[in-house]
Amino acid sequence: MPAGAAAVLAAGMLAHAVPSLAAISALRRRAFPDLAGVGAPTGIALTFDDGPDRESTPAFLHMLAEMDVQATFFLLGRMLDADPGLGREIVAHGHEVAVRGWDHRCLLWRTPRSTYREIARTRDRIVEVTGAVPRWYRPPYGVLTAGALSACRRLALQPRLWTAWGRDWEAGRTATAIQRTVIRTLGAGGTVLLHDSDCTSAPGSWRATLRAVPGLVEWARLRGLDVGPLRRHHRLDGEPDPP
């Protein structure tokens, strides 16, 4: 390939990938607090990725109901398509549903057109199945691209990542290890990333996450922090104060 053509190609790839730098946690919180999920300092946003999954999600719904906690569930379109009734159950329990994407492939390998089609397809399926209109989008691996940002603008979605995660997708993680990893970077106004499904994680990893959540909720409540969904944690411009 001629040097000039290679330079043009490299520049194009860089332009496509530059927004993915927001996936770097420390940089994200400082430079893009809204994107990172930094919200009201009186609370913590609890979010779960990659469901709904019949094997695991009902256990999370039951556990959250016992603690009187609502959360935001970022749904994979293919998982919702496989069990639309469970998607409706999530909404019926008072939780918020949001867009994760149709599957879990990194956006760096997708064209802007393909990215738009996937996000729109998932958003539309969530509305069709649950009747809820999503407002948030979280990309696979936290990697945003110019194409994803453009799609979000066209679809009236707000990208939201996280300020703390539990690395709960890894094999062999314990509830205690998940709690410690979350708390290490979690503070007032933060957003927690966990998983209610192991469809993209180590088999059975959701069980440790399920055991970890009550301790995280207790940790927040002892500090006077409300635990809830993104809709309560991070109001969009022009919205009234939540009840």
Side-chain angles (χ1 to χ4, degrees):
M1 179 182 294
V8 170
L9 177 61
M13 291 178 65
L14 180 60
H16 183 56
V18 159
S20 72
L21 294 175
I24 302 172
S25 181
L27 170 64
R28 181 171 69 234
R29 288 195 298 272
R30 290 195 303 270
F32 309 103
D34 285 352
L35 173 63
V38 176
T42 55
I44 297 294
L46 180 61
T47 71
F48 295 95
D49 283 6
D50 298 346
D53 190 326
R54 181 57 64 178
E55 181 180 0
S56 52
T57 302
F60 284 87
L61 297 180
H62 177 73
M63 177 263 295
L64 292 170
E66 286 191 331
M67 296 188 298
D68 193 25
V69 169
Q70 293 178 334
T72 299
F73 287 78
F74 283 86
L75 307 183
L76 284 176
R78 67 176 180 86
M79 297 296 286
L80 178 63
D81 215 36
D83 196 337
L86 185 51
R88 288 189 286 270
E89 287 181 41
I90 293 173
V91 173
H93 277 77
H95 302 292
E96 182 177 40
V97 287
V99 176
R100 181 73 164 136
W102 195 261
D103 53 28
H104 200 268
R105 286 191 292 162
C106 182
L107 296 181
L108 287 175
W109 315 122
R110 292 184 181 273
T111 64
R113 179 178 295 182
S114 173
T115 296
Y116 174 82
R117 284 200 302 261
E118 170 169 326
I119 296 173
R121 181 186 183 191
T122 308
R123 191 277 311 266
D124 292 348
R125 187 62 173 144
I126 290 173
V127 174
E128 178 186 11
V129 168
T130 70
V133 179
R135 66 179 71 184
W136 315 109
Y137 169 69
R138 177 176 288 160
Y141 306 104
V143 177
L144 276 168
T145 62
L149 292 172
S150 174
C152 285
R153 285 192 295 269
R154 292 172 63 185
L155 296 167
L157 293 168
Q158 296 287 325
R160 284 297 180 271
L161 300 180
W162 59 87
T163 65
W165 62 13
R167 301 191 68 87
D168 59 332
W169 62 87
E170 296 177 342
R173 295 286 282 179
T174 65
T176 299
I178 292 169
Q179 290 170 357
R180 287 174 177 169
T181 303
V182 169
I183 291 168
R184 190 175 301 137
T185 57
L186 181 62
T191 292
V192 178
L193 161 65
L194 295 169
H195 295 78
D196 64 305
S197 170
D198 63 9
C199 69
T200 62
S201 306
S205 55
W206 64 268
R207 299 180 188 279
T209 304
L210 185 72
R211 292 191 294 270
V213 171
L216 292 172
V217 172
E218 181 182 12
W219 178 91
R221 287 175 169 171
L222 285 173
R223 286 155 181 80
L225 299 172
D226 173 63
V227 179
L230 280 167
R231 66 176 176 232
R232 193 161 73 223
H233 176 67
H234 205 150
R235 231 176 353 117
L236 297 179
D237 292 342
E239 286 187 328
D241 290 332

